[in-house]
Amino acid sequence: MTRSVTPRRKTLNTALAWVIGLLIFFPILWTILTSFKTEAQAIASPPLFLNFNWTLENYAIVQERSDYMRFLWNSVIIAGGSTILGVIIAVPAAWAMAFVPSKRTKDILLWMLSTKMLPAVGVLYPIYLVFIRLGLLDTRGGLVVVLMLINLPIIVWMLYTYFREIPGEILEAARMDGASLKEEILYVLTPMAIPGIASTVLLNFILAWNEAFWTLNLTAVDAAPLTAFIASYSSPEGLFFAKLSAASTMAIAPILILGWFSQKQLVRGLTFGAVK
């Protein structure tokens, strides 16, 4: 039996959703607006919202001072590489947990999730020493591995949830038709879970793109991504809010555009299996 929703309640829910959405988006909007102000306008009191002299000077200064494209390319490689590597490892793991019965599956999943509760600084020192010993410090390959391991529990959890919604009888039929384990995962399971895999890839790409702790501590110059690019505008002389806002806008613009164009796929994947 479906529950009817009155027009008044629908209007209130819509208005509440818009208010919450605007509150969440306002810091991003304020950062973008501040990037077009002068330094004096950026710290003006009371704050200037729209009535200020718009300028592109901050973007020109940021571009002259820093090699933005190098930082951007590092972010794309690190975020993309860690996400792809994580999915390659997580798909077989999630398949085994979803379709191979075991009393320990839930315990393993909870243990994997518990690793996300450990403060990152608690393992910084040993990882830093390992990176020095292996020559991985300030390398994109080293960061790809670290970020993959950090986000791997989330990837496995999400894929396990999506795989559980796929009827096991379909995989059994594939086995009866002579499909090998590799063919079962690649040609039967994966195509059926495309919405879930796509949303997992998008979400973990965003998490890797925004990761600051490890990228700031394990890079210096060569492999520094956009998080280091933003941090470079915090200097001992003080914070230059307009230039910092311009650098932040340039750093978040690619991921905002990606999220905007992939929002339908992301929502579809996050609600995959919610309604039967």
Side-chain angles (χ1 to χ4, degrees):
M1 181 177 179
T2 59
R3 183 175 58 182
S4 61
V5 180
T6 63
R8 180 181 178 183
R9 185 178 181 85
K10 185 176 181 180
T11 302
L12 289 175
N13 290 341
T14 303
L16 181 61
W18 272 101
V19 171
I20 295 174
L22 289 174
L23 287 175
I24 295 174
F25 182 70
F26 183 77
I28 299 175
L29 176 62
W30 188 256
T31 299
I32 296 173
L33 291 176
T34 304
S35 69
F36 292 101
K37 301 176 183 178
T38 63
E39 291 295 343
Q41 293 171 339
I43 60 174
S45 182
L48 303 175
F49 189 65
L50 292 175
N51 55 334
F52 60 87
N53 297 323
W54 295 62
T55 178
L56 295 174
E57 179 184 4
N58 298 312
Y59 289 94
I61 294 175
V62 168
Q63 188 62 33
E64 292 175 2
R65 174 177 168 179
S66 306
D67 186 359
Y68 171 75
M69 293 306 299
R70 178 174 62 83
F71 290 102
L72 176 63
W73 182 240
N74 285 341
S75 286
V76 171
I77 293 178
I78 293 169
S82 63
T83 300
I84 293 173
L85 183 60
V87 170
I88 291 174
I89 296 174
V91 166
W95 169 86
M97 293 180 183
F99 299 108
V100 179
S102 174
K103 296 180 180 180
R104 296 293 182 182
T105 296
K106 188 175 295 185
D107 295 334
I108 294 173
L109 286 170
L110 289 175
W111 171 78
M112 292 180 64
L113 191 62
S114 69
T115 61
K116 295 292 294 180
M117 303 175 188
L118 176 69
V121 69
V123 292
L124 173 61
Y125 187 63
I127 290 180
Y128 191 84
L129 292 179
V130 170
F131 267 52
I132 293 177
R133 182 65 61 87
L134 298 179
L136 296 175
L137 199 63
D138 197 22
T139 63
R140 291 181 293 202
L143 276 178
V144 165
V145 174
V146 167
L147 295 188
M148 180 275 293
L149 293 174
I150 290 172
N151 293 326
L152 189 59
I154 297 178
I155 301 176
V156 173
W157 259 91
M158 293 183 67
L159 292 181
Y160 168 78
T161 303
Y162 300 135
F163 289 174
R164 288 285 294 172
E165 300 298 328
I166 297 175
E169 292 79 6
I170 296 178
L171 300 182
E172 292 178 3
R175 296 187 200 117
M176 294 179 63
D177 289 338
S180 63
L181 178 59
K182 177 181 177 182
E183 292 171 340
E184 177 185 334
I185 295 176
L186 287 179
Y187 303 120
V188 181
L189 178 66
T190 302
M192 295 182 65
I194 283 295
I197 294 175
S199 65
T200 301
V201 168
L202 290 170
L203 181 60
N204 284 273
F205 184 86
I206 294 171
L207 291 175
W209 184 279
N210 293 330
E211 176 60 42
F213 179 82
W214 293 106
T215 55
L216 292 178
N217 284 285
L218 298 179
T219 63
V221 179
D222 296 336
L226 286 171
T227 48
F229 169 73
I230 297 175
S232 67
Y233 284 86
S234 176
S235 62
E237 292 80 10
L239 288 175
F240 297 93
F241 290 105
K243 297 178 182 61
L244 179 60
S245 296
S248 299
T249 301
M250 294 172 70
I252 65 176
I255 208 69
L256 282 178
I257 295 172
L258 175 65
W260 177 263
F261 284 104
S262 60
Q263 57 181 319
K264 290 184 179 180
Q265 181 62 49
L266 185 60
V267 172
R268 181 187 175 193
L270 292 176
T271 56
F272 180 71
V275 179
K276 291 186 177 179

